[in-house]
PDB file of all heavy atoms in Angstrom:
ATOM      1  N   HIS A  63     110.887  86.598 123.271  1.00  0.00           N
ATOM      2  CA  HIS A  63     112.269  86.142 123.422  1.00  0.00           C
ATOM      3  C   HIS A  63     112.370  84.860 124.235  1.00  0.00           C
ATOM      4  O   HIS A  63     113.352  84.140 124.126  1.00  0.00           O
ATOM      5  CB  HIS A  63     113.137  87.248 124.016  1.00  0.00           C
ATOM      6  CG  HIS A  63     113.362  88.380 123.067  1.00  0.00           C
ATOM      7  ND1 HIS A  63     113.971  88.236 121.836  1.00  0.00           N
ATOM      8  CD2 HIS A  63     113.030  89.684 123.137  1.00  0.00           C
ATOM      9  CE1 HIS A  63     114.004  89.378 121.211  1.00  0.00           C
ATOM     10  NE2 HIS A  63     113.438  90.287 121.976  1.00  0.00           N
ATOM     11  N   LYS A  64     111.360  84.574 125.041  1.00  0.00           N
ATOM     12  CA  LYS A  64     111.358  83.350 125.837  1.00  0.00           C
ATOM     13  C   LYS A  64     110.824  82.162 125.036  1.00  0.00           C
ATOM     14  O   LYS A  64     110.896  81.032 125.494  1.00  0.00           O
ATOM     15  CB  LYS A  64     110.494  83.530 127.100  1.00  0.00           C
ATOM     16  CG  LYS A  64     110.997  84.560 128.083  1.00  0.00           C
ATOM     17  CD  LYS A  64     112.117  84.023 128.911  1.00  0.00           C
ATOM     18  CE  LYS A  64     111.573  83.036 129.922  1.00  0.00           C
ATOM     19  NZ  LYS A  64     112.589  82.486 130.784  1.00  0.00           N
ATOM     20  N   GLY A  65     110.266  82.395 123.857  1.00  0.00           N
ATOM     21  CA  GLY A  65     109.711  81.312 123.050  1.00  0.00           C
ATOM     22  C   GLY A  65     108.358  80.852 123.568  1.00  0.00           C
ATOM     23  O   GLY A  65     108.185  79.701 123.934  1.00  0.00           O
ATOM     24  N   SER A  66     107.417  81.757 123.617  1.00  0.00           N
ATOM     25  CA  SER A  66     106.106  81.492 124.205  1.00  0.00           C
ATOM     26  C   SER A  66     105.160  80.763 123.274  1.00  0.00           C
ATOM     27  O   SER A  66     105.355  80.700 122.070  1.00  0.00           O
ATOM     28  CB  SER A  66     105.470  82.805 124.644  1.00  0.00           C
ATOM     29  OG  SER A  66     106.255  83.390 125.643  1.00  0.00           O
ATOM     30  N   THR A  67     104.092  80.268 123.861  1.00  0.00           N
ATOM     31  CA  THR A  67     103.033  79.571 123.140  1.00  0.00           C
ATOM     32  C   THR A  67     102.159  80.561 122.386  1.00  0.00           C
ATOM     33  O   THR A  67     102.199  81.754 122.656  1.00  0.00           O
ATOM     34  CB  THR A  67     102.182  78.761 124.140  1.00  0.00           C
ATOM     35  OG1 THR A  67     101.234  77.987 123.430  1.00  0.00           O
ATOM     36  CG2 THR A  67     101.437  79.659 125.104  1.00  0.00           C
ATOM     37  N   VAL A  68     101.397  80.041 121.443  1.00  0.00           N
ATOM     38  CA  VAL A  68     100.411  80.857 120.745  1.00  0.00           C
ATOM     39  C   VAL A  68      99.046  80.214 120.939  1.00  0.00           C
ATOM     40  O   VAL A  68      98.968  79.011 121.137  1.00  0.00           O
ATOM     41  CB  VAL A  68     100.712  80.987 119.230  1.00  0.00           C
ATOM     42  CG1 VAL A  68     101.951  81.808 118.988  1.00  0.00           C
ATOM     43  CG2 VAL A  68     100.820  79.645 118.553  1.00  0.00           C
ATOM     44  N   PRO A  69      98.004  80.979 120.906  1.00  0.00           N
ATOM     45  CA  PRO A  69      97.970  82.444 120.838  1.00  0.00           C
ATOM     46  C   PRO A  69      98.164  83.066 122.218  1.00  0.00           C
ATOM     47  O   PRO A  69      97.974  82.405 123.238  1.00  0.00           O
ATOM     48  CB  PRO A  69      96.559  82.724 120.319  1.00  0.00           C
ATOM     49  CG  PRO A  69      95.731  81.582 120.851  1.00  0.00           C
ATOM     50  CD  PRO A  69      96.650  80.388 120.851  1.00  0.00           C
ATOM     51  N   MET A  70      98.529  84.341 122.213  1.00  0.00           N
ATOM     52  CA  MET A  70      98.629  85.134 123.441  1.00  0.00           C
ATOM     53  C   MET A  70      97.978  86.488 123.187  1.00  0.00           C
ATOM     54  O   MET A  70      98.049  87.010 122.080  1.00  0.00           O
ATOM     55  CB  MET A  70     100.082  85.355 123.860  1.00  0.00           C
ATOM     56  CG  MET A  70     100.763  84.125 124.380  1.00  0.00           C
ATOM     57  SD  MET A  70     102.338  84.474 125.206  1.00  0.00           S
ATOM     58  CE  MET A  70     103.213  85.424 123.993  1.00  0.00           C
ATOM     59  N   CYS A  71      97.382  87.039 124.255  1.00  0.00           N
ATOM     60  CA  CYS A  71      96.714  88.332 124.156  1.00  0.00           C
ATOM     61  C   CYS A  71      97.232  89.264 125.239  1.00  0.00           C
ATOM     62  O   CYS A  71      97.341  88.866 126.405  1.00  0.00           O
ATOM     63  CB  CYS A  71      95.209  88.181 124.346  1.00  0.00           C
ATOM     64  SG  CYS A  71      94.436  87.078 123.182  1.00  0.00           S
ATOM     65  N   TYR A  72      97.500  90.494 124.838  1.00  0.00           N
ATOM     66  CA  TYR A  72      97.940  91.541 125.754  1.00  0.00           C
ATOM     67  C   TYR A  72      97.039  92.751 125.567  1.00  0.00           C
ATOM     68  O   TYR A  72      96.634  93.065 124.447  1.00  0.00           O
ATOM     69  CB  TYR A  72      99.396  91.939 125.461  1.00  0.00           C
ATOM     70  CG  TYR A  72     100.382  90.871 125.835  1.00  0.00           C
ATOM     71  CD1 TYR A  72     100.583  89.761 125.028  1.00  0.00           C
ATOM     72  CD2 TYR A  72     101.108  90.957 127.014  1.00  0.00           C
ATOM     73  CE1 TYR A  72     101.476  88.769 125.374  1.00  0.00           C
ATOM     74  CE2 TYR A  72     102.009  89.968 127.371  1.00  0.00           C
ATOM     75  CZ  TYR A  72     102.186  88.880 126.544  1.00  0.00           C
ATOM     76  OH  TYR A  72     103.077  87.889 126.904  1.00  0.00           O
ATOM     77  N   VAL A  73      96.752  93.422 126.668  1.00  0.00           N
ATOM     78  CA  VAL A  73      95.934  94.632 126.635  1.00  0.00           C
ATOM     79  C   VAL A  73      96.698  95.719 127.379  1.00  0.00           C
ATOM     80  O   VAL A  73      97.012  95.561 128.558  1.00  0.00           O
ATOM     81  CB  VAL A  73      94.551  94.411 127.289  1.00  0.00           C
ATOM     82  CG1 VAL A  73      93.769  95.714 127.324  1.00  0.00           C
ATOM     83  CG2 VAL A  73      93.769  93.334 126.552  1.00  0.00           C
ATOM     84  N   GLY A  74      96.993  96.800 126.685  1.00  0.00           N
ATOM     85  CA  GLY A  74      97.706  97.897 127.322  1.00  0.00           C
ATOM     86  C   GLY A  74      99.053  97.476 127.880  1.00  0.00           C
ATOM     87  O   GLY A  74      99.499  97.986 128.892  1.00  0.00           O
ATOM     88  N   GLY A  75      99.719  96.533 127.207  1.00  0.00           N
ATOM     89  CA  GLY A  75     101.042  96.087 127.642  1.00  0.00           C
ATOM     90  C   GLY A  75     101.030  95.063 128.754  1.00  0.00           C
ATOM     91  O   GLY A  75     102.080  94.698 129.263  1.00  0.00           O
ATOM     92  N   LYS A  76      99.852  94.577 129.117  1.00  0.00           N
ATOM     93  CA  LYS A  76      99.752  93.579 130.185  1.00  0.00           C
ATOM     94  C   LYS A  76      99.182  92.280 129.631  1.00  0.00           C
ATOM     95  O   LYS A  76      98.225  92.293 128.858  1.00  0.00           O
ATOM     96  CB  LYS A  76      98.856  94.081 131.317  1.00  0.00           C
ATOM     97  CG  LYS A  76      99.437  95.281 132.029  1.00  0.00           C
ATOM     98  CD  LYS A  76      98.547  95.725 133.153  1.00  0.00           C
ATOM     99  CE  LYS A  76      99.154  96.946 133.841  1.00  0.00           C
ATOM    100  NZ  LYS A  76      98.272  97.480 134.862  1.00  0.00           N
ATOM    101  N   PHE A  77      99.760  91.162 130.072  1.00  0.00           N
ATOM    102  CA  PHE A  77      99.306  89.847 129.650  1.00  0.00           C
ATOM    103  C   PHE A  77      97.855  89.643 130.071  1.00  0.00           C
ATOM    104  O   PHE A  77      97.475  89.932 131.198  1.00  0.00           O
ATOM    105  CB  PHE A  77     100.195  88.770 130.287  1.00  0.00           C
ATOM    106  CG  PHE A  77      99.753  87.372 129.972  1.00  0.00           C
ATOM    107  CD1 PHE A  77     100.010  86.813 128.735  1.00  0.00           C
ATOM    108  CD2 PHE A  77      99.087  86.617 130.921  1.00  0.00           C
ATOM    109  CE1 PHE A  77      99.600  85.522 128.441  1.00  0.00           C
ATOM    110  CE2 PHE A  77      98.679  85.326 130.643  1.00  0.00           C
ATOM    111  CZ  PHE A  77      98.939  84.776 129.403  1.00  0.00           C
ATOM    112  N   LEU A  78      97.032  89.131 129.136  1.00  0.00           N
ATOM    113  CA  LEU A  78      95.638  88.836 129.454  1.00  0.00           C
ATOM    114  C   LEU A  78      95.412  87.326 129.485  1.00  0.00           C
ATOM    115  O   LEU A  78      95.035  86.789 130.520  1.00  0.00           O
ATOM    116  CB  LEU A  78      94.694  89.496 128.447  1.00  0.00           C
ATOM    117  CG  LEU A  78      93.215  89.331 128.741  1.00  0.00           C
ATOM    118  CD1 LEU A  78      92.824  90.120 129.994  1.00  0.00           C
ATOM    119  CD2 LEU A  78      92.374  89.774 127.559  1.00  0.00           C
ATOM    120  N   VAL A  79      95.632  86.640 128.366  1.00  0.00           N
ATOM    121  CA  VAL A  79      95.480  85.180 128.316  1.00  0.00           C
ATOM    122  C   VAL A  79      96.473  84.599 127.318  1.00  0.00           C
ATOM    123  O   VAL A  79      96.913  85.280 126.397  1.00  0.00           O
ATOM    124  CB  VAL A  79      94.052  84.719 127.927  1.00  0.00           C
ATOM    125  CG1 VAL A  79      93.024  85.163 128.938  1.00  0.00           C
ATOM    126  CG2 VAL A  79      93.681  85.164 126.541  1.00  0.00           C
ATOM    127  N   GLY A  80      96.788  83.330 127.506  1.00  0.00           N
ATOM    128  CA  GLY A  80      97.664  82.624 126.579  1.00  0.00           C
ATOM    129  C   GLY A  80      97.203  81.194 126.403  1.00  0.00           C
ATOM    130  O   GLY A  80      96.710  80.575 127.340  1.00  0.00           O
ATOM    131  N   GLY A  81      97.343  80.684 125.176  1.00  0.00           N
ATOM    132  CA  GLY A  81      96.990  79.311 124.892  1.00  0.00           C
ATOM    133  C   GLY A  81      95.505  79.051 124.744  1.00  0.00           C
ATOM    134  O   GLY A  81      95.095  77.919 124.544  1.00  0.00           O
ATOM    135  N   LYS A  82      94.698  80.099 124.859  1.00  0.00           N
ATOM    136  CA  LYS A  82      93.257  79.936 124.724  1.00  0.00           C
ATOM    137  C   LYS A  82      92.663  81.210 124.143  1.00  0.00           C
ATOM    138  O   LYS A  82      93.326  82.242 124.072  1.00  0.00           O
ATOM    139  CB  LYS A  82      92.597  79.613 126.065  1.00  0.00           C
ATOM    140  CG  LYS A  82      92.531  80.782 127.042  1.00  0.00           C
ATOM    141  CD  LYS A  82      91.815  80.374 128.326  1.00  0.00           C
ATOM    142  CE  LYS A  82      91.413  81.558 129.158  1.00  0.00           C
ATOM    143  NZ  LYS A  82      90.124  82.131 128.811  1.00  0.00           N
ATOM    144  N   VAL A  83      91.415  81.103 123.753  1.00  0.00           N
ATOM    145  CA  VAL A  83      90.700  82.258 123.207  1.00  0.00           C
ATOM    146  C   VAL A  83      90.078  83.020 124.377  1.00  0.00           C
ATOM    147  O   VAL A  83      89.374  82.425 125.193  1.00  0.00           O
ATOM    148  CB  VAL A  83      89.602  81.799 122.219  1.00  0.00           C
ATOM    149  CG1 VAL A  83      88.834  83.002 121.681  1.00  0.00           C
ATOM    150  CG2 VAL A  83      90.210  80.983 121.091  1.00  0.00           C
ATOM    151  N   PRO A  84      90.349  84.326 124.498  1.00  0.00           N
ATOM    152  CA  PRO A  84      89.729  85.081 125.584  1.00  0.00           C
ATOM    153  C   PRO A  84      88.231  85.243 125.344  1.00  0.00           C
ATOM    154  O   PRO A  84      87.786  85.302 124.200  1.00  0.00           O
ATOM    155  CB  PRO A  84      90.435  86.440 125.524  1.00  0.00           C
ATOM    156  CG  PRO A  84      90.822  86.586 124.086  1.00  0.00           C
ATOM    157  CD  PRO A  84      91.136  85.193 123.610  1.00  0.00           C
ATOM    158  N   THR A  85      87.479  85.316 126.417  1.00  0.00           N
ATOM    159  CA  THR A  85      86.059  85.609 126.279  1.00  0.00           C
ATOM    160  C   THR A  85      85.897  87.107 126.042  1.00  0.00           C
ATOM    161  O   THR A  85      86.808  87.900 126.342  1.00  0.00           O
ATOM    162  CB  THR A  85      85.271  85.213 127.541  1.00  0.00           C
ATOM    163  OG1 THR A  85      85.701  86.045 128.623  1.00  0.00           O
ATOM    164  CG2 THR A  85      85.467  83.740 127.884  1.00  0.00           C
ATOM    165  N   LEU A  86      84.749  87.493 125.543  1.00  0.00           N
ATOM    166  CA  LEU A  86      84.476  88.921 125.364  1.00  0.00           C
ATOM    167  C   LEU A  86      84.526  89.635 126.717  1.00  0.00           C
ATOM    168  O   LEU A  86      85.018  90.766 126.808  1.00  0.00           O
ATOM    169  CB  LEU A  86      83.123  89.123 124.676  1.00  0.00           C
ATOM    170  CG  LEU A  86      83.043  88.641 123.225  1.00  0.00           C
ATOM    171  CD1 LEU A  86      81.614  88.747 122.711  1.00  0.00           C
ATOM    172  CD2 LEU A  86      83.995  89.414 122.334  1.00  0.00           C
ATOM    173  N   ASP A  87      84.029  88.974 127.764  1.00  0.00           N
ATOM    174  CA  ASP A  87      84.059  89.577 129.103  1.00  0.00           C
ATOM    175  C   ASP A  87      85.488  89.791 129.581  1.00  0.00           C
ATOM    176  O   ASP A  87      85.801  90.832 130.164  1.00  0.00           O
ATOM    177  CB  ASP A  87      83.298  88.711 130.116  1.00  0.00           C
ATOM    178  CG  ASP A  87      81.788  88.804 129.949  1.00  0.00           C
ATOM    179  OD1 ASP A  87      81.308  89.755 129.296  1.00  0.00           O
ATOM    180  OD2 ASP A  87      81.085  87.912 130.483  1.00  0.00           O
ATOM    181  N   GLU A  88      86.364  88.810 129.368  1.00  0.00           N
ATOM    182  CA  GLU A  88      87.767  88.967 129.767  1.00  0.00           C
ATOM    183  C   GLU A  88      88.402  90.148 129.044  1.00  0.00           C
ATOM    184  O   GLU A  88      89.122  90.949 129.652  1.00  0.00           O
ATOM    185  CB  GLU A  88      88.571  87.703 129.448  1.00  0.00           C
ATOM    186  CG  GLU A  88      88.304  86.539 130.359  1.00  0.00           C
ATOM    187  CD  GLU A  88      88.993  85.267 129.909  1.00  0.00           C
ATOM    188  OE1 GLU A  88      89.010  84.960 128.690  1.00  0.00           O
ATOM    189  OE2 GLU A  88      89.515  84.561 130.797  1.00  0.00           O
ATOM    190  N   MET A  89      88.129  90.250 127.746  1.00  0.00           N
ATOM    191  CA  MET A  89      88.686  91.356 126.973  1.00  0.00           C
ATOM    192  C   MET A  89      88.142  92.690 127.471  1.00  0.00           C
ATOM    193  O   MET A  89      88.908  93.643 127.652  1.00  0.00           O
ATOM    194  CB  MET A  89      88.352  91.185 125.482  1.00  0.00           C
ATOM    195  CG  MET A  89      89.141  90.112 124.771  1.00  0.00           C
ATOM    196  SD  MET A  89      90.925  90.387 124.712  1.00  0.00           S
ATOM    197  CE  MET A  89      91.044  91.975 123.923  1.00  0.00           C
ATOM    198  N   GLU A  90      86.837  92.761 127.704  1.00  0.00           N
ATOM    199  CA  GLU A  90      86.252  94.024 128.165  1.00  0.00           C
ATOM    200  C   GLU A  90      86.814  94.434 129.519  1.00  0.00           C
ATOM    201  O   GLU A  90      87.100  95.615 129.736  1.00  0.00           O
ATOM    202  CB  GLU A  90      84.733  93.924 128.202  1.00  0.00           C
ATOM    203  CG  GLU A  90      84.131  93.985 126.813  1.00  0.00           C
ATOM    204  CD  GLU A  90      82.621  94.125 126.808  1.00  0.00           C
ATOM    205  OE1 GLU A  90      81.959  93.617 127.738  1.00  0.00           O
ATOM    206  OE2 GLU A  90      82.114  94.739 125.864  1.00  0.00           O
ATOM    207  N   ARG A  91      86.971  93.491 130.430  1.00  0.00           N
ATOM    208  CA  ARG A  91      87.554  93.821 131.742  1.00  0.00           C
ATOM    209  C   ARG A  91      88.979  94.345 131.588  1.00  0.00           C
ATOM    210  O   ARG A  91      89.362  95.320 132.236  1.00  0.00           O
ATOM    211  CB  ARG A  91      87.529  92.607 132.669  1.00  0.00           C
ATOM    212  CG  ARG A  91      86.157  92.345 133.274  1.00  0.00           C
ATOM    213  CD  ARG A  91      86.208  91.344 134.423  1.00  0.00           C
ATOM    214  NE  ARG A  91      86.776  90.061 134.043  1.00  0.00           N
ATOM    215  CZ  ARG A  91      86.087  89.039 133.554  1.00  0.00           C
ATOM    216  NH1 ARG A  91      84.785  89.155 133.354  1.00  0.00           N
ATOM    217  NH2 ARG A  91      86.694  87.901 133.255  1.00  0.00           N
ATOM    218  N   GLY A  92      89.765  93.698 130.724  1.00  0.00           N
ATOM    219  CA  GLY A  92      91.128  94.155 130.483  1.00  0.00           C
ATOM    220  C   GLY A  92      91.174  95.548 129.889  1.00  0.00           C
ATOM    221  O   GLY A  92      91.977  96.387 130.289  1.00  0.00           O
ATOM    222  N   ILE A  93      90.285  95.811 128.942  1.00  0.00           N
ATOM    223  CA  ILE A  93      90.233  97.131 128.308  1.00  0.00           C
ATOM    224  C   ILE A  93      89.774  98.187 129.305  1.00  0.00           C
ATOM    225  O   ILE A  93      90.378  99.267 129.402  1.00  0.00           O
ATOM    226  CB  ILE A  93      89.321  97.103 127.065  1.00  0.00           C
ATOM    227  CG1 ILE A  93      89.978  96.273 125.966  1.00  0.00           C
ATOM    228  CG2 ILE A  93      89.001  98.517 126.578  1.00  0.00           C
ATOM    229  CD1 ILE A  93      89.060  95.929 124.804  1.00  0.00           C
ATOM    230  N   GLU A  94      88.723  97.895 130.046  1.00  0.00           N
ATOM    231  CA  GLU A  94      88.227  98.865 131.033  1.00  0.00           C
ATOM    232  C   GLU A  94      89.309  99.190 132.059  1.00  0.00           C
ATOM    233  O   GLU A  94      89.487 100.344 132.460  1.00  0.00           O
ATOM    234  CB  GLU A  94      86.967  98.345 131.720  1.00  0.00           C
ATOM    235  CG  GLU A  94      85.755  98.239 130.796  1.00  0.00           C
ATOM    236  CD  GLU A  94      85.296  99.575 130.219  1.00  0.00           C
ATOM    237  OE1 GLU A  94      85.491 100.616 130.881  1.00  0.00           O
ATOM    238  OE2 GLU A  94      84.741  99.572 129.108  1.00  0.00           O
TER     239      GLU A  94
END
Side-chain angles (χ1 to χ4, degrees):
H63 290 300
K64 296 281 287 181
S66 297
T67 185
V68 291
M70 289 193 307
C71 302
Y72 290 78
V73 176
K76 295 181 181 175
F77 177 77
L78 184 69
V79 298
K82 72 178 195 87
V83 178
T85 66
L86 293 173
D87 286 343
E88 286 173 318
M89 286 297 303
E90 285 190 329
R91 282 193 302 271
I93 291 168
E94 293 297 331

